[in-house]
Amino acid sequence: MSGGEERFHRAFLTRVVEPGDEVCGRWVREAGAGEVVRRLTGVGQQLPGVTDTRWAGLRARAERADPERDLALARDAGTRFVCPGDPEWPAQLDDLGDAKPIGLWARGRPSLRIWALRSVAVVGARACTEYGAHMASTLGAGLAERGWVVVSGGAYGVDGATHRGALGAGGATVAVLACGVDRPYPRGHTQLITRIAEQGLVIGELPPGEHPTPSRFILRNRVIAALTRGTVVVEAAYRSGALVTARAAQRLGRFTMGVPGPATSSLSAGVHELLRGDALLVTDAAEVAELVGDMGELAPARRGPVLPRDLLDPAAARVLAALPAREERTRQEVARGAGTTEDEAIARLYELRSLGFVERHGDGWKLTRQATISVGPDRG
């Protein structure tokens, strides 16, 4: 069968079969797309694995399918249809087995296969908090600045903030829709999705004009998980579609990451449940890149601020610790407190005096005001 016929038949099936239908996926794998179309259009016996009622429903859809029209509408809208076996097909989608897409409708200039090679998904709650939007936007921008393609679902909340962060950083982003790529959804994101198509890619399994449904949103998430090296969840309640994406990523052996939120926030409860399992905690783009990136692409070491006393010689630090916050001590008392000799204590006290940590009052020594502020909190 020629590539044109295969494309025609697969475009036909995207109009007839729902995304992720493993029964149809098995038909295509075993018999080929052309034979499946031939059976659905009334030539040959019913294919196995479905009831008579289901087969009749597929036949009814097939009667209305018009792949020539769909492909023409796609061309007019600047959209192409990408099939398994095409140079642009991302091979990692084959990990979905019989649930892999029949094909993908793509709007935008870049190559989907090349972009998907170095991509990360960032997903989360639609009704996110300001914190969630901030973290998503920051992750989108940070990953884009590091040369990663940022993938999300184009929805309100975390998805939109992620896309905007990547676009704002002049980076690459892909929106995976649960409807035809020619009709942006939600409508309030029409401008955003149009901008993504201009700077990046908008893709989906459904043919032109198709509308989203709850099940299509859920099934769309497996594509996001399979397409990318890892999935980051930013805010998700226990019953969140973002968790579907994360669990699909886990099943596929991809990295699954979560951004922690307040322990009291119901919108972070699903993320925290993931983190109690096999998901990995991340707080910024550098930590995400360390996990999904190449060897040596490490996040910077994290530590608190370096205080002046951290730079002291250990012996001097012990002498400093022997002085209470607001009281004087003689050199003998300091020596005992530091576990050293009086001569060593005197030497270290004068060293500390030159550094501004202590001052002498007659026969006594005490911390300076600045040193009290610096070391006081650790002494309760």
Side-chain angles (χ1 to χ4, degrees):
M1 182 182 294
S2 70
E5 288 178 329
E6 177 75 6
R7 189 176 311 281
F8 180 88
H9 292 143
R10 285 180 175 269
F12 179 100
L13 291 174
T14 64
R15 180 65 72 179
V16 176
V17 181
E18 285 295 305
D21 188 323
E22 294 189 57
V23 173
C24 182
R26 187 177 73 251
W27 293 342
V28 171
R29 174 172 54 82
E30 293 176 350
E35 178 62 16
V36 175
V37 170
R38 191 177 75 85
R39 300 280 191 97
L40 285 170
T41 52
V43 181
Q45 296 180 338
Q46 176 177 323
L47 287 161
V50 294
T51 64
D52 292 344
T53 301
R54 175 86 188 286
W55 182 253
L58 292 172
R59 290 281 304 274
R61 280 190 171 190
E63 290 176 2
R64 298 192 300 271
D66 187 351
E68 288 185 354
R69 177 177 176 275
D70 286 339
L71 290 167
L73 286 172
R75 282 193 300 271
D76 293 344
T79 299
R80 60 192 178 278
F81 185 56
V82 182
C83 299
D86 285 351
E88 194 181 351
W89 181 257
Q92 58 267 46
L93 290 179
D94 297 341
D95 292 347
L96 291 168
D98 289 338
K100 74 180 182 182
I102 297 295
L104 288 171
W105 303 85
R107 181 179 163 203
R109 288 184 294 274
S111 166
L112 176 59
R113 183 181 70 84
I114 298 301
W115 271 30
L117 291 174
R118 189 176 165 85
S119 63
V120 180
V122 180
V123 297
R126 285 176 172 80
C128 67
T129 65
E130 289 185 13
Y131 164 78
H134 169 75
M135 291 303 300
S137 177
T138 302
L139 281 170
L143 288 165
E145 289 167 355
R146 285 168 172 77
W148 288 90
V149 176
V150 183
V151 179
S152 198
Y156 291 132
V158 165
D159 288 14
T162 299
H163 290 306
R164 290 188 181 94
L167 291 170
T173 189
V174 178
V176 184
L177 303 187
C179 56
V181 297
D182 62 327
R183 54 181 304 173
Y185 185 90
R187 291 185 180 180
H189 273 181
T190 297
Q191 185 175 359
L192 173 63
I193 292 172
T194 300
R195 180 71 184 117
I196 294 171
E198 292 170 351
Q199 187 169 316
L201 280 168
V202 177
I203 65 172
E205 298 177 76
L206 292 156
E210 278 295 306
H211 65 279
T213 65
S215 63
R216 288 173 173 178
F217 281 118
I218 296 298
L219 291 164
R220 176 272 310 271
N221 294 340
R222 83 195 194 289
V223 176
I224 295 176
L227 193 65
T228 54
R229 291 198 193 179
T231 294
V232 185
V233 183
V234 182
E235 289 196 325
Y238 282 123
R239 290 175 55 84
S240 170
L243 299 184
V244 175
T245 311
R247 289 171 184 137
Q250 288 176 328
R251 288 193 299 272
L252 292 165
R254 311 292 199 260
F255 287 100
T256 307
M257 297 154 277
V259 176
T264 54
S265 172
S266 61
L267 278 176
S268 289
V271 180
H272 296 161
E273 190 66 21
L274 282 176
L275 293 173
R276 283 169 54 83
D278 296 328
L280 298 163
L281 187 151
V282 293
T283 60
D284 61 17
E287 293 175 353
V288 175
E290 181 180 67
L291 290 170
V292 300
D294 299 324
M295 186 177 294
E297 197 169 343
L298 302 177
R302 308 302 169 92
R303 57 173 297 172
V306 177
L307 300 176
R309 69 175 183 270
D310 297 332
L311 306 177
L312 290 175
D313 178 272
R318 286 193 296 272
V319 169
L320 181 64
L323 286 166
R326 295 179 180 82
E327 298 178 17
E328 292 184 19
R329 288 290 185 269
T330 66
R331 64 185 182 185
Q332 294 89 350
E333 291 171 325
V334 171
R336 283 196 300 271
T340 188
T341 65
E342 290 186 26
D343 290 342
E344 173 70 7
I346 284 293
R348 296 301 180 181
L349 284 167
Y350 274 95
E351 179 183 322
L352 291 167
R353 182 184 183 186
S354 67
L355 295 173
F357 284 100
V358 302
E359 54 193 15
R360 182 170 180 175
H361 294 268
D363 290 333
W365 294 84
K366 68 180 294 186
L367 296 176
T368 62
R369 178 177 176 80
Q370 186 59 40
T372 302
I373 296 171
S374 174
V375 305
D378 288 347
R379 301 186 182 182

